[in-house]
Amino acid sequence: MANQKTIAETGNVLVAQAMRQCKPDVMAAYPITPQTTIVEEFAKYVAQGRCHTEYVTVESEHSAMSACVGASAAGARVMTATCSQGLALMWEELYIAAGMRLPIVMANANRALSAPINIHCDHSDAMGARDAGWIMLFAETAQEAYDNTIMSVRIAEHSDVLLPVMTCLDGFITTHSVDRADIFDDDTVAEFVGEYVPAYALLDTDNPSSHGNFSGLGGPYFEFKKQQRLAIDASMAVIKSVGAEFSELSGRPFDVVEGWGMEDAEVVIVVIGSSAGNVRHVARGLRAQGIKAGVLKIRVFRPFPAAEVAAALVGVKAIAVMDRSESFGAEGGPLYLEVRSALYDSSERLPVVDYIYGLGGSDVRLELIERVYSDLADIASGSMAPFGMTYLGTR
Amino acid sequence: MASLKDLTHNPDRLAGGHRLCSGCGASIAVRQILLAAGETPLVAGCATGCLEVSTSIYPYSSWRVPFIHNAFENSAATISGVEAAFKGMQRAGKIPADKKVKFVAFGGDGGTYDIGLQSLSGAMERGHDMVYVCYDNGAYMNTGIQRSSATPLGAWATTSEVGKAQQGKIQRRKDLTSIIADHNIPYVAQASVSHWRDLTTKAEKAFAVDGPAFLNVLAPCPRGWRTLPNKSIEHAKSAVQTGFWPLFEVEDGVWRQTVKVPTRKPIEEFIRPQGRFKHLFAPGNEALLESIQVEIDRYWDYIMDRCATK
Ligand SMILES: Cc1ncc(C[n+]2csc(CCOP(=O)(O)OP(=O)(O)O)c2C)c(N)n1
Ligand code: SF4
Ligand SMILES: [Mg+2]
């Protein structure tokens, strides 16, 4: 285990610190609440001469990701941060970054999407980008946001992967709250992430290569997409091995799904992000009352750990998925669809219900979570029929 | 300034065999500009459009230099990123401190005047050491000749149609060169493929400045202009002689007409031979034709006024 220093900082400052420690050559970013303090903090490091990074203060998020694509294809280690409307404005470029196989690392400070305009947390922004070809990690705490950022660099740049990584942390809840975290010194991080050695770089001017070529005239577009699928599938093993190595260095556990009380749980909530802590808190209370409550936190959403989710839920009696985003017109939220699909091949047919909660920063009060567990107890006992999807806590 | 002989010794960095139409002004512009860059290592970018789709069909590439296509509206932002990577990596010692690389971003008029204007403006304002080249053929040619804000007043395009109620494009052209000049960047110029010496000199100057430079190059399109492939250069020349396309540069804020036009010809000489203006010569359109001359005169006077030594 490496030496670490315990500090109290906001999630955003920790993400900015982690980014600086990973020594990016280029940062291209545009401010948006609640990501802003990441780019402000990073601007301070630049002004203080604490990094060699070329900081491109672009005029929009579309240009932020466009510049990241150019810089990454040039052979640089590249980072950015955004959320919400900014991520939505990048949409076109998200697909291009993944399709061009560029290992860009981006922090996303999960925030609701307009309309109506709202600056608070939900996962609609990130979930809207879930099919763009990015690896997606979610943090529960500021510590995890720091850790995920550092791991992302290794995952993205791994030769079996070469895909961009989005590290998501909950807007305001994680980005702006001061939290306790253990951080490494700069050398430890530099050694862990190593140097990026690109296979084909624009700036290798002696060996010219063309990037972003046209593949629309019966060209191998389809085959390129298959390569992308193989790469993101292969990333699961890379994420696990990088995570294990990181665990050893940090002394903190890492898994693609992290269970609490899952050994003998009968009623389980599947959740992503900062709410996992609240859910665990409620589950702990229920355990004291003899209710076999469990929590399954998803830390990696893309690639989706379907096998791990299915294995963790064996023997459970009733499952609730908590979705902090909508998939309007679908059977439920994005996480619900994934979890239900993951369970399809199980020998048992488990009841799974979905709660859409916390949209636009709507409060996730403990009694709401208690209600979910109590519904689950009723479903498990057969006194309540599974109902599909419902909204939790709307007025 | 390189002589024609000097230029012929420079490497031709856009290979033949690309799939642009014969007589296309885009490749003529690219070749002249890259010749002017000499032998210094160079990275080129290109926006989606005719030039891009015709020169980068996988697994081939016509570009003998490192090349990147990203999307339609972000050639400037993409090359900003490449240039930033160069600076960052050089600062980190990953690239030798004495290595020099030039950066050039190409875009059509659609990708520059319209959808990419914000990206271009941002890149120019930030001061990247790059040359942005707009090859202006006056419409979205790649998608089938739709109007752009560079399409001339009165011109037919597939989204500025000709019929009982409308006679081609209703609006006048956007004066992009002046807009970029007003960004107060080190070098801005308007050029034409018909005036190779003027164009290559401007390209040399653009590459030489430390900071952003912008070239707006008239690049005829036989398909969209409804002209013959072997007449492209003549049409471009006529654009200069009629004042449709004045040749000028803005060097550190100083405006200068680079090719004098002793007796400016009537605009009709430029538009009559082009099929995209055919309807203007139908009976009943005399007033419209006249208004086009008025618009050309206004634009000419404006540019000459700015070029006048004060
Ligand atoms: C965001 C986006 N909108 C629309 C298009 C479709 N499109 C591709 S090229 C093009 C027109 C290009 O026109 P221009 O920039 O003038 O280049 P030209 O083809 O004339 O050389 C359009 C509309 C696109 N690729 N991307
Ligand atoms: S359509 Fe016009 S711009 Fe496109 S390749 Fe042909 S001549 Fe060139
Ligand atoms: Mg065009």
Side-chain angles (χ1 to χ4, degrees), chain B residues 20-21 24 50 137 141 221-223:
Chain B
L20 290 155
C21 307
C24 178
C50 272
N137 51 29
M141 299 309 179
C221 161
R223 282 288 303 138

Side-chain angles (χ1 to χ4, degrees), chain A residues 72-73 95-104 133 156 158-164 196 223-232:
Chain A
S72 186
Y95 281 77
I96 291 172
M100 288 174 75
R101 307 293 300 274
L102 299 172
I104 297 160
H158 194 284
S159 59
D160 291 350
V161 179
L162 290 174
L163 287 172
Y196 173 45
E223 287 68 25
F224 279 128
K225 291 298 129 183
K226 188 171 177 193
Q227 290 302 314
Q228 242 178 285
R229 157 58 77 172
L230 295 175
I232 200 158

Side-chain angles (χ1 to χ4, degrees), chain A residues 11-35:
Chain A
N12 273 356
V13 168
L14 283 159
V15 167
Q17 282 276 18
M19 286 180 160
R20 183 188 58 74
Q21 292 183 313
C22 293
K23 297 177 181 281
D25 300 303
V26 173
M27 166 99 166
Y30 192 82
I32 177 166
T33 306
Q35 155 265 35

Side-chain angles (χ1 to χ4, degrees), chain B residues 50 108-111 135-142 146 148 150 221:
Chain B
C50 272
D109 48 291
Y135 66 97
D136 182 350
N137 51 29
Y140 303 161
M141 299 309 179
N142 186 48
Q146 294 85 30
S148 76
C221 161

